[in-house]
Amino acid sequence: MFFMPYPAKLSAEAVLDAAQRLLEHSGPDALTMRALADALGVRPSSLYRHFSSREVLLRALGDQAALNLKDQVLDAAEGLAPRAALLAAAQAYLAYTRTHPHLYALLLTKENDLPLEHLQHSPGKILWNTLLLLIGRLSGDPDDTDHAVAFWTFLHGFASLEAAGTFGQSGPKRGFEVGLEALFNHMEEVGQAGKS
Amino acid sequence: MFFMPYPAKLSAEAVLDAAQRLLEHSGPDALTMRALADALGVRPSSLYRHFSSREVLLRALGDQAALNLKDQVLDAAEGLAPRAALLAAAQAYLAYTRTHPHLYALLLTKENDLPLEHLQHSPGKILWNTLLLLIGRLSGDPDDTDHAVAFWTFLHGFASLEAAGTFGQSGPKRGFEVGLEALFNHMEEVGQAGKS
DNA sequence: GTCTATAGAGGGATAGAC
DNA sequence: GTCTATCCCTCTATAGAC
């Protein structure tokens, strides 16, 4: 092993870490193979030993983000009563979208065209099942798809509008809390009454 | 006027129309000055007589979209009782995002960095005021910012998740209607009780 | 007002040497 | 596994002729 003309500098993890930093710091358009290579101190072509294309790399980032988001949501809800758990989960979800806006955007735009077999265990599906679980504890229905859709819709909508700067200088006031209260009330009311 | 070596083929309206068709048919990345020129049967440089840059053109498209969306929402709510009007408005909003997904995306990503003086009468603000008006009729508060934020958040979140294909093959079930019901109930309950 | 021609910059990806 | 070198493509925008 005396000759090492080109010693290994990269690993898939190192590339992903640098890509994540670059993405969060400068946005998706700045995440080019050239810029990423510069950040890692290698030549662009070296990256293709670890990711066969930029698109594959982006999907890996998105999958990783989905799992991290799920973990933070689950941790926040841990040990709390159903309604408090959902509120904490919502706040954790929002906190993630604020600290990782570009990763979060990747998460929802790169969830398409999968081979359907593995779609059941995709990171996005795992996140969905986590929300479903927390909601079931409040509404009493362990498969309360309707409320889960409404809840996720609300969380994503708020994160998205906030990131786009739509709320403007006046801010969203207490719209987030008010909307959650409306949804939670509805979950509690309809829960024991069965499906309408 | 016997010599017309290069007769006028374009107008700002014609360019906008073609741009809108190209955008909706093939997505934002396909809306390049080259492709737009091809669609109009002219050379790319000719477009710059009517729009000084691609960004200016995109903003014009977005502003136009915001006004069209507002019109459709307002028309749908016309003559209905407060709660029915809000439901109709929500359905009209969603119908627009389904028929013009890419225009709708422009609407919310190009609302930034304005000269603040004209921000009060921007198309986005006009749309916001329309929602605020309809909500005031149900909650009794003519400036019910919190519920308006929650309502818009929900509409945008649903449109966005649907467009991203997040709901998957099973679809959102009745999550849309359930979420709206929760929000409307909350508006009615809190309306006469004053702000919490 | 449209044309030709081009400047000027950027990107993804590959072949073959080491 | 990384390197050099390069191919190929994309795009926005401008100068000056007509």
Side-chain angles (χ1 to χ4, degrees):
Chain A
M1 276 292 213
F2 267 63
F3 294 114
M4 307 171 68
Y6 294 115
K9 303 180 187 176
L10 299 177
S11 65
E13 292 72 28
V15 173
L16 276 180
D17 280 8
Q20 175 165 344
R21 273 191 293 274
L22 191 54
L23 174 68
E24 284 306 347
H25 189 270
S26 308
D29 289 348
L31 179 47
T32 67
M33 300 304 263
R34 289 167 142 84
L36 181 55
D38 278 353
L40 285 161
V42 298
R43 295 296 177 176
S45 58
S46 305
L47 298 173
Y48 291 87
R49 283 284 160 187
H50 303 273
F51 293 92
S52 61
S53 74
R54 180 175 181 270
E55 209 170 328
V56 167
L57 197 161
L58 288 182
R59 182 179 296 277
L61 276 180
D63 286 355
Q64 183 179 276
L67 293 178
N68 286 341
L69 173 52
K70 179 215 66 172
D71 286 343
Q72 296 211 9
V73 164
L74 218 47
D75 284 0
E78 177 100 4
L80 297 177
R83 182 154 176 155
L86 267 183
L87 178 59
Q91 289 166 337
Y93 191 102
L94 198 56
Y96 186 89
T97 68
R98 282 169 174 160
T99 52
H100 305 90
H102 295 117
L103 272 175
Y104 176 70
L106 258 194
L107 203 160
L108 282 172
T109 51
K110 292 288 170 184
E111 202 66 35
N112 312 336
D113 46 287
L114 291 183
L116 271 175
E117 278 87 35
H118 309 127
L119 197 141
Q120 203 60 24
H121 301 97
S122 73
K125 200 76 179 181
I126 291 176
L127 175 58
W128 164 258
N129 286 334
T130 299
L131 297 181
L132 206 55
L133 174 80
L134 294 174
I135 283 171
R137 292 179 49 207
L138 182 61
S139 76
D141 178 357
D143 191 32
D144 192 349
T145 307
D146 291 345
H147 279 133
V149 165
F151 183 58
W152 199 5
T153 288
F154 188 77
L155 293 184
H156 171 65
F158 196 88
S160 179
L161 288 181
E162 188 177 73
T166 310
F167 292 137
Q169 53 186 14
S170 67
K173 299 295 177 62
R174 297 196 48 78
F176 186 66
E177 290 78 5
V178 166
L180 287 180
E181 185 177 286
L183 290 176
F184 295 164
N185 286 349
H186 196 271
M187 291 177 196
E188 287 179 335
E189 290 168 13
V190 183
Q192 302 295 353
K195 300 197 168 189
S196 62
Chain B
M1 278 294 209
F2 267 65
F3 294 115
M4 306 172 67
Y6 294 115
K9 304 181 188 177
L10 299 176
S11 65
E13 291 73 28
V15 173
L16 276 180
D17 279 8
Q20 176 165 342
R21 272 191 293 273
L22 190 54
L23 174 67
E24 283 307 346
H25 189 269
S26 308
D29 290 348
L31 178 48
T32 67
M33 299 305 262
R34 293 169 188 274
L36 182 54
D38 278 353
L40 286 160
V42 298
R43 294 298 176 174
S45 58
S46 305
L47 299 173
Y48 291 87
R49 285 283 160 189
H50 303 274
F51 292 92
S52 60
S53 75
R54 180 175 182 270
E55 209 169 327
V56 167
L57 197 162
L58 287 182
R59 182 179 295 280
L61 276 180
D63 287 354
Q64 183 180 276
L67 293 179
N68 285 341
L69 173 52
K70 179 215 67 172
D71 286 343
Q72 297 211 10
V73 165
L74 218 46
D75 284 358
E78 177 99 4
L80 297 177
R83 182 154 177 156
L86 268 183
L87 178 60
Q91 290 166 336
Y93 190 102
L94 198 57
Y96 185 88
T97 68
R98 282 170 174 159
T99 51
H100 305 91
H102 295 117
L103 272 176
Y104 176 70
L106 258 195
L107 203 161
L108 282 172
T109 52
K110 291 288 170 186
E111 202 67 34
N112 311 338
D113 47 288
L114 291 184
L116 271 174
E117 278 87 35
H118 310 127
L119 198 141
Q120 204 60 24
H121 302 97
S122 73
K125 200 76 177 181
I126 290 176
L127 175 58
W128 164 257
N129 286 334
T130 298
L131 297 181
L132 206 54
L133 174 80
L134 294 175
I135 284 171
R137 290 178 50 204
L138 182 61
S139 77
D141 178 356
D143 191 33
D144 194 348
T145 307
D146 291 344
H147 279 133
V149 164
F151 184 57
W152 199 6
T153 289
F154 187 77
L155 293 183
H156 170 64
F158 195 88
S160 179
L161 288 181
E162 188 178 73
T166 311
F167 293 135
Q169 54 187 15
S170 67
K173 300 294 177 65
R174 296 196 48 80
F176 186 65
E177 290 77 7
V178 165
L180 287 180
E181 183 177 287
L183 290 175
F184 296 164
N185 286 349
H186 196 273
M187 292 177 196
E188 288 179 336
E189 289 168 14
V190 184
Q192 304 294 353
K195 298 197 169 189
S196 62

